[in-house]
């Protein structure tokens, strides 16, 4: 994937952004150097606060400039075909509406398994994401395919419920067959500085997931207000045992952006360098076109490298994106765009 881009920003500009960004991600002296050191950091509210506020402040201008510069990369046609298939395989095909029916979920499952029924070379998506009460239906729809079933839980999307209710939500989804749980953090507690409460809730949800279900922790970055808070939330989620860190619910005005995703990618890179533990990243909400998806894949490739260019470690939470990916895939194969009935409308 590293050779998929061609052309660089002018060397002087690029070097200036790179130097600025290198300062941005310099690790604090109190960062953990091994997984065993995590217990000391999370032993009390004061030690956790000291660590999170010891993380380097984010240079917003440098972060956004770096994200923008990577977004200007062009790719060759052969690499574009690869990137489209890779992006399809990373989609969490999602329906999270009050009007969801078993029929709609079964149709979504069928689309996840065979996104383009006329071309069986099209890869399946990574997962289908539904509410807990639809997990069993989704599980039956994708049986035998390798497509995972993810379930939002913990009083999604607001997260305003007692911990006992959140954990019951998770256990119900896992009992119904969920392979992955997408939880939301308590943004009110986080913004009030009650980091230990947020940490302990994530730990409890991770335990409720059991030994097999992977946990994605949603920060709702649009409500965290600052890049510093997104960095702190990223480290907090990883310290608590998140398998993935995820930008958004898709239910607020500001969701995934190249800048906040780049910041989270830097966080997982640094966390692995310090602890040896790899954590996935899932941008969600607002990613609608193939062009958008490729920009995010370039961010992954240039920031954390090929180890994350796999749907085990990177996902797109964007159902409408799949339709555009399928149309662009057909365009590459046939030289023309399909008609409006080529893809199903979600």
């Amino acid at each position: 994937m590293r050779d998929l881009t061609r052309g660089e920003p002018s060397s002087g500009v690029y070097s200036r952004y790179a130097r600025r960004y290198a300062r941005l991600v310099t690790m604090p002296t109190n960062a953990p150097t091994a997984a065993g050191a995590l217990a000391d950091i999370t032993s009390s509210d004061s030690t956790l606060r000291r660590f999170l506020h010891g993380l380097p402040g984010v240079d917003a201008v440098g972060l956004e400039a770096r994200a923008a510069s990577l977004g200007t990369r062009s790719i060759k046609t052969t690499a574009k075909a690869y990137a489209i298939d890779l992006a399809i395989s990373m989609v969490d095909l999602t329906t999270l509406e009050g009007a969801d029916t078993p029929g709609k979920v079964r149709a979504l499952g069928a689309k996840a398994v065979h996104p383009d029924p006329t071309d069986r070379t099209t890869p399946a998506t990574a997962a289908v994401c539904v509410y807990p009460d639809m997990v069993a239906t989704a599980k039956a729809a994708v049986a035998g395919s390798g497509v995972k079933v993810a379930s939002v839980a913990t009083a999604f999307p607001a997260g305003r419920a007692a911990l006992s209710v959140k954990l019951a939500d998770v256990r119900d989804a896992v009992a119904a067959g969920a392979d992955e749980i997408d939880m939301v953090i308590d943004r009110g507690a986080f913004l009030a500085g009650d980091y230990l409460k947020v940490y302990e809730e994530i730990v409890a949800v991770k335990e409720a997931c059991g030994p097999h279900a992977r946990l994605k922790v949603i920060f709702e970055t649009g409500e965290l207000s600052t890049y510093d808070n997104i960095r702190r939330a990223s480290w907090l989620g990883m310290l608590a045992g998140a398998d993935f860190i995820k930008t958004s619910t898709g239910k607020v005005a500001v969701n995934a952006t190249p800048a906040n995703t780049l910041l989270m990618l830097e966080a997982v890179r640094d966390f692995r360098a310090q602890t040896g533990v790899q954590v996935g990243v899932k941008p969600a909400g607002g990613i609608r076109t193939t062009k958008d998806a490729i920009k995010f894949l370039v961010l992954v490739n240039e920031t954390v490298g090929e180890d994350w260019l796999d749907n085990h470690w990177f996902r797109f939470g964007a159902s409408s994106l799949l339709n555009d990916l399928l149309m662009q895939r057909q365009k590459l194969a046939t030289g023309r765009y399909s008609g409006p009935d080529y893809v199903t409308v979600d």
Side-chain angles (χ1 to χ4, degrees):
M1 186 75 174
R2 188 161 299 280
D3 63 349
L4 80 124
T5 59
R6 69 171 184 270
E8 297 280 354
S10 63
S11 58
V13 173
Y14 183 75
S15 297
R16 184 166 69 251
Y17 289 156
R19 287 194 299 271
R20 181 185 293 172
Y21 202 71
R23 293 195 300 273
L24 168 74
V25 299
T26 300
M27 291 302 299
T29 57
N30 63 342
T33 57
L38 302 186
D40 293 335
I41 294 169
T42 59
S43 61
S44 69
D45 185 67
S46 61
T47 57
L48 184 56
R49 176 183 298 276
R50 189 179 308 118
F51 172 77
L52 293 176
H53 284 266
L55 292 168
V58 178
D59 176 356
V61 174
L63 177 71
E64 291 172 0
R66 173 66 170 160
S69 71
L70 290 173
T72 64
R73 305 288 180 86
S74 59
I75 68 171
K76 301 174 183 177
T77 300
T78 52
K80 184 175 182 180
Y82 166 75
I84 287 173
D85 278 5
L86 182 61
I88 290 171
S89 76
M90 292 174 165
V91 170
D92 280 2
L93 198 57
T94 304
T95 183
L96 297 171
E97 304 298 334
D100 286 344
T101 64
K104 182 178 180 180
V105 171
R106 283 192 289 269
L108 200 72
K111 183 174 181 179
V113 175
H114 296 297
D116 182 353
T118 69
D119 183 356
R120 293 304 176 96
T121 68
T122 308
T125 69
V128 171
C129 185
V130 295
Y131 278 115
D133 63 320
M134 289 292 176
V135 167
T137 300
K139 195 75 174 178
V142 301
S145 67
V147 174
K148 304 297 185 184
V149 173
S151 177
V152 296
T154 65
F156 178 95
R160 310 308 304 179
L163 179 58
S164 59
V165 174
K166 295 178 180 181
L167 295 179
D169 206 20
V170 174
R171 293 185 185 113
D172 284 349
V174 173
D179 303 295
E180 301 169 357
I181 296 295
D182 290 33
M183 72 164 287
V184 289
I185 66 166
D186 183 337
R187 280 89 73 193
F190 180 89
L191 291 170
D194 196 349
Y195 301 131
L196 191 61
K197 178 183 178 181
V198 179
Y199 170 83
E200 289 176 344
E201 283 201 355
I202 298 171
V203 169
V205 171
K206 176 66 174 174
E207 183 178 357
C209 288
H212 303 300
R214 300 177 78 203
L215 176 63
K216 305 192 196 89
V217 177
I218 309 170
F219 303 138
E220 201 68 288
T221 51
E223 293 184 346
L224 296 188
S225 302
T226 69
Y227 289 129
D228 285 342
N229 277 339
I230 295 171
R231 169 168 284 164
R232 290 169 188 150
S234 297
W235 276 87
L236 183 61
M238 293 186 293
L239 289 168
D243 297 296
F244 266 81
I245 54 175
K246 177 178 172 181
T247 62
S248 327
T249 63
K251 303 293 187 181
V252 297
V254 179
N255 295 288
T257 68
N260 63 35
T261 303
L262 175 58
L263 183 56
M264 290 166 63
L265 287 167
E266 292 286 356
V268 299
R269 183 200 65 185
D270 294 342
F271 188 78
R272 189 177 75 167
Q274 295 296 322
T275 68
V277 177
Q278 186 164 341
V279 177
V281 175
K282 179 180 174 180
I287 306 170
R288 297 183 176 87
T289 69
T290 299
K291 185 177 181 179
D292 291 337
I294 290 175
K295 286 181 180 180
F296 279 85
L297 292 180
V298 171
L299 285 179
V300 176
N301 186 62
E302 295 300 311
T303 308
V304 292
E306 294 184 7
D307 286 354
W308 272 266
L309 283 174
D310 182 279
N311 66 16
H312 195 72
W313 299 113
F314 191 78
R315 300 282 181 83
F316 290 109
S319 289
S320 60
L321 169 64
L322 180 58
N323 290 340
D324 192 69
L325 288 166
L326 293 174
M327 294 178 71
Q328 294 295 333
R329 190 177 192 273
Q330 194 209 36
K331 171 65 163 53
L332 285 179
T334 66
R336 56 182 175 80
Y337 285 106
S338 58
D341 58 348
Y342 175 68
V343 295
T344 57
V345 178
D346 298 322

